Amino acid sequence: MDVTLSNTEVIQGIQLISRRWLNLQEYQSKKLMSDNGVKVQRFFVADTANDALEAAKRLNAKEIVLKAQILAGGRGKGTFNSGLKGGVHLTKDPKVVGQLAQQMIGYNLATKQTSKDGVKVNKVMVAEALDISRETYLAILMDRSCNGPVLVGSPQGGVDIEEVAATTPELIFKEEIDIFEGLKDSQAQKMAENLGFHGALKTQAADQIKKLYNLFLKIDATQVEVNPFGETPEGQVVCFDAKINFDDNAEFRQKDIFAMDDKSENEPIENEAAKYDLKYIGLDGNIACFVNGAGLAMATCDIISLNGGKPANFLDLGGGVKEAQVYQAFKLLTADPKVEAILVNIFGGIVNCAIIANGITRACRELELKIPLVVRLEGTNVQEAQNILNNSGLPITSANDLEDAAKKAVASVAPK
Ligand code: GDP
Ligand code: MN
């Protein structure tokens, strides 16, 4: 069978996976970078047009760059629902900064990486603009296929890197890093050269690459992406943009960074879910999915689609689950009026299925659940869980496997 995912479904999938990680705005990433010797422009952050104007005056720069802060790339080419085009603007006049900020703050910015409604802008970054003579691309990321960090770069920066990789793959350079030996001088030099930096600029670029690598390690990042990693006519190598992803397993030793997590772009229901250690993603179908793990969530989405249905949302339950969490999960799932059926698909590895079953029966009774509920449990203590469900006297449909569960859930809702 052939499934074609729409662009929004792909974006939702990416969101589902990436919400598992902490997200920082560009200005927060740049603060970390400048604190660690990485070269970024002088900047202020503002959340009103008036503050943006004041910041622009205070910068006292020859030229100013105003940048909408959202957790998505492609802002430069984005559009606001205020009508303003472009989430990145250059101007010499602080007054213009105020006027532009007025058309950014409080409005939604849609880019290639957001849904078509875009994301509401709460903050703008007001930075000293620098002339750029050349834009390159640089990233450091944890790469499964290399079993460790890898440096990725291209002399073709500023633009969509996926496009460079697709059209001119010979312009993408990789340098595997041995995590025990660290990034070697020679590797940083080689990357700087591949990026097209020469002479004193090459030394400077290599130094910046090393500082970025040290930061990558220090903050437990899974990715540091700088696009553009640029060169100025005055002979400076500058990180003009920054996106950092973090390893959420490192939260215990990165408390200061995790405290900066910008949740303002989440849906209120996502934040409500987070209170109970649940991860919620809203979609636009009518079958609510209660699963554990992002991988199982994606598989559940696929199999519902394959059987002609559409998921309404996902609630991802972590390990170490408590009965009360299951109750909260059901409350959140059923709060969405689009939901016409619930599909529970839990694989009990760390999770004890009996706890889930008890949570489900309690939620059904207390919430007086009126919509069809299909449950597929597998793994630890599954027999006891089945008994709890079967003896509950509640109209719960049990499923043998994922395929069976998806079929039953799809059959239980009106065709859309
Ligand atoms: P993105 O569109 O979300 O990736 O945002 P960027 O921060 O990368 O900005 C988009 C583009 O604006 C960059 O690729 C640059 O071409 C341009 N830009 C950003 N900052 C400056 C600056 O200080 N000076 C100049 N001349 N261009 C800039
Ligand atoms: Mn960029």
Side-chain angles (χ1 to χ4, degrees), residues 100-399:
L100 288 168
Q102 188 86 55
Q103 299 169 72
M104 290 184 174
I105 297 168
Y107 292 99
N108 280 21
L109 173 59
T111 80
K112 262 175 83 173
Q113 292 183 17
T114 68
S115 69
K116 69 175 191 320
D117 292 338
V119 175
K120 187 170 163 212
V121 176
N122 295 312
K123 288 186 164 68
V124 292
M125 184 172 157
V126 186
E128 170 180 39
L130 299 171
D131 291 336
I132 308 181
S133 42
R134 232 166 45 80
E135 301 193 6
T136 78
Y137 174 93
L138 183 80
I140 305 165
L141 48 121
M142 279 298 177
D143 185 5
R144 202 177 285 264
S145 64
C146 305
N147 286 317
V150 59
L151 209 54
V152 181
S154 175
Q156 204 84 285
V159 290
D160 199 350
I161 197 67
E162 280 78 18
E163 211 169 299
V164 180
T167 54
T168 48
E170 67 280 7
L171 291 179
I172 306 271
F173 297 92
K174 286 189 181 179
E175 203 64 53
E176 286 183 32
I177 302 167
D178 181 317
I179 197 152
F180 297 108
E181 287 181 28
L183 176 65
K184 294 198 207 84
D185 260 342
S186 58
Q187 290 182 300
Q189 296 274 349
K190 190 169 152 205
M191 181 53 81
E193 186 148 334
N194 282 333
L195 296 182
F197 293 104
H198 301 296
L201 276 163
K202 180 173 143 186
T203 313
Q204 215 189 114
D207 178 58
Q208 287 293 302
I209 293 170
K210 275 162 51 188
K211 287 185 166 132
L212 283 164
Y213 181 69
N214 292 339
L215 176 67
F216 173 86
L217 285 187
K218 181 175 161 187
I219 62 180
D220 284 303
T222 51
Q223 172 167 310
V224 173
E225 187 186 51
V226 182
N227 189 24
F229 184 59
E231 182 181 316
T232 72
E234 293 80 28
Q236 296 272 357
V237 176
V238 180
C239 297
F240 283 94
D241 190 11
K243 171 147 184 54
I244 306 181
N245 293 336
F246 297 85
D247 180 354
D248 63 0
N249 290 308
E251 181 169 0
F252 73 97
R253 62 180 182 200
Q254 299 290 353
K255 295 224 162 62
D256 292 350
I257 289 177
F258 277 77
M260 298 196 293
D261 194 3
D262 191 324
K263 293 193 169 72
S264 64
E265 290 179 23
N266 291 358
E267 299 290 327
I269 190 163
E270 290 171 6
N271 290 335
E272 187 62 22
K275 280 193 211 156
Y276 306 101
D277 252 337
L278 299 163
K279 294 190 174 81
Y280 179 96
I281 298 288
L283 303 167
D284 31 58
N286 54 359
I287 300 174
C289 302
F290 183 33
V291 296
N292 61 335
L296 197 58
M298 298 303 281
T300 308
C301 174
D302 283 351
I303 206 140
I304 288 175
S305 302
L306 274 170
N307 285 285
K310 268 193 164 290
N313 52 35
F314 280 118
L315 230 154
D316 178 3
L317 186 76
V321 61
K322 307 267 182 331
E323 202 182 301
Q325 264 178 311
V326 179
Y327 171 76
Q328 290 299 340
F330 269 72
K331 216 168 139 181
L332 289 167
L333 285 175
T334 51
D336 181 347
K338 293 196 310 291
V339 171
E340 291 174 19
I342 301 177
L343 170 59
V344 176
N345 184 27
I346 302 272
F347 189 86
I350 308 168
V351 173
N352 181 341
C353 290
I355 292 179
I356 307 285
N358 279 324
I360 290 174
T361 52
R362 184 186 141 198
C364 282
R365 290 201 180 95
E366 291 183 22
L367 299 169
E368 294 173 18
L369 198 70
K370 301 246 164 28
I371 53 176
L373 169 62
V374 181
V375 180
R376 180 253 178 170
L377 295 173
E378 192 58 81
T380 308
N381 230 351
V382 69
Q383 202 46 56
E384 192 188 332
Q386 283 305 343
N387 294 341
I388 293 167
L389 295 180
N390 294 340
N391 299 333
S392 68
L394 292 161
I396 298 170
T397 308
S398 284

